[in-house]
Every structure is written in structure tokens, then in C-alpha cells.
Amino acid sequence: MKLDHFVLNIDEEYQKDKNMISAIRNVGFPYEPKWGKGTRGFRVSNLWIGHEYLEMVNILRDDGGGWVPEWTKRYHAGHRGMICLMLDTEHMDELHQSLMQKNISVTSPSWLEFKWFFNLLTRRMPWRNCYLPFFEQVPLQIGFQEMKDQKSRDFMNQYMVPNSRDNGIEGVQKVTIRGPFTSRDLGMLKTVFGSYPVSESEDVISVCLPSQQEIEFVVDQSYQVELYTNRATGNYVEIENVKLFC
């Protein structure tokens, strides 16, 4: 299992405002907001960081145009910032069965599909997703993704351009998520990640993934996210509630 991508609800300034786009580029991320999937109902811009990326979504219509219904609903309710942490796995069915046996309310694995061309056509992406429930007081959920096969993975890797690795930023090494996590939230995290090295204190749970990447959950009053790349020098850019260090 490894970090894959980070889904963010964003306002359109991150896709259209020249000053905002320049601020992202100036710290080392060659961001091209016009390159990404979309329909009449949503627009995605990707920020590629090695094999990880930010999937930044601007919802354009009430129905979301095929975007995830619950994420669309929360977008219209005012949520901005990271709404889903996606983890890559090569064993989706085993993972899903294990979580169900532990009484974790995880959704069934399903292919990502969305309508386009006036809702006449359906596009199926070459990966399956399943999701944990949202945290009780933090507008965030954790998802798991499995690529169809290596050919599909290699094909998708071709589209990870422009990429910050050209500037020596090879990937995301650590994620720190701060928020009002409840005791039930923390219990769920310990159950989900129990097979990996987990360190914990009263207000912090740290998970070391097999990829040697780290996820840190910190109990705090406000919901904020910090993403640390391999080259983290202290410089960062803010995108909604996310600080991206480079």
C-alpha cells in the first residue's frame, strides 16, 4: 500500500487566477490547470508530484456532472480543501474482505465511471475504488484504489506531466492531517492500519506504509493538512486547507 493521490475541493481561482497559478509554479510545481478530466458539471486539475498527485476539483453544476455525489454535496455545502486521501493497493478484494470482517463500514469496490457528451456516453476509468466512512467531525474520508493491470498503470503514468520530478521533487513522503478526530475515529484508524507499524500517543497516530511513506493523524481543533515532499525545505504553497511543502 502507498500514497496515491489527494482529492481537494477547490474554488475556481486555483484553475483560473494567474497569480495563484504562478504561486504554485514558483515553488517548483509545473502546474497546468487546463490539463485534466472534466464534464459540464465538474473540472479537475492535476498537480503531479512524481507518482503522487493532487486531484483538484471545481464543481460547476448542482448535480456535479457525474462527480462523486457525496463530495459534490459537501462542495455545495461550502467544504473546501482535502476531502479524500486515496491509497493505492494491489489487493483490493482481500483488503475489502478484511475490513468487513473487522466491522468497518467500507463500500464495495467499484469501477469509477462518469457521464459525458450530454450524459449520452459513460466513461469507465481503469481502476476500482472503495471508501471508508467519513470521520465524525472531519470532512474527510480515506479511499483505496486498485489499477486494473500493469498495462493500465503504465498508460496512466504517461499522463503524469508536467511533473515536479523535473525540478527534483520526486514524490510525497509524509502526510500530516490535523483535525477534531474523535475516539471512535482513532479507533477506526488503529483497526484499519493495524497490520502496519503504528505509533500512537494520546493525540497522535502515525502509520508507516510499506512504501516507507508516513501518514500522521493529529487531534487538533481545526482541520488542516500538510504534505511533505522528498525535498521539503520549508518552502510551501497553500491550496485551500493544504500546505504543500517543497
Side-chain angles (χ1 to χ4, degrees), residues 195-235:
S195 60
Y196 301 120
V198 175
S199 61
E200 61 177 295
S201 64
E202 182 178 357
D203 294 326
V204 180
I205 291 180
S206 296
V207 180
C208 183
L209 299 175
S211 59
Q212 301 305 305
Q213 297 165 314
E214 182 181 358
I215 310 174
E216 185 178 56
F217 300 90
V218 182
V219 178
D220 205 335
Q221 291 184 345
S222 62
Y223 173 37
Q224 300 290 326
V225 180
E226 298 156 14
L227 303 181
Y228 296 90
T229 66
N230 67 293
R231 202 191 66 172
T233 60
N235 293 327

Side-chain angles (χ1 to χ4, degrees), residues 64 175 185:
V175 183
D185 292 335

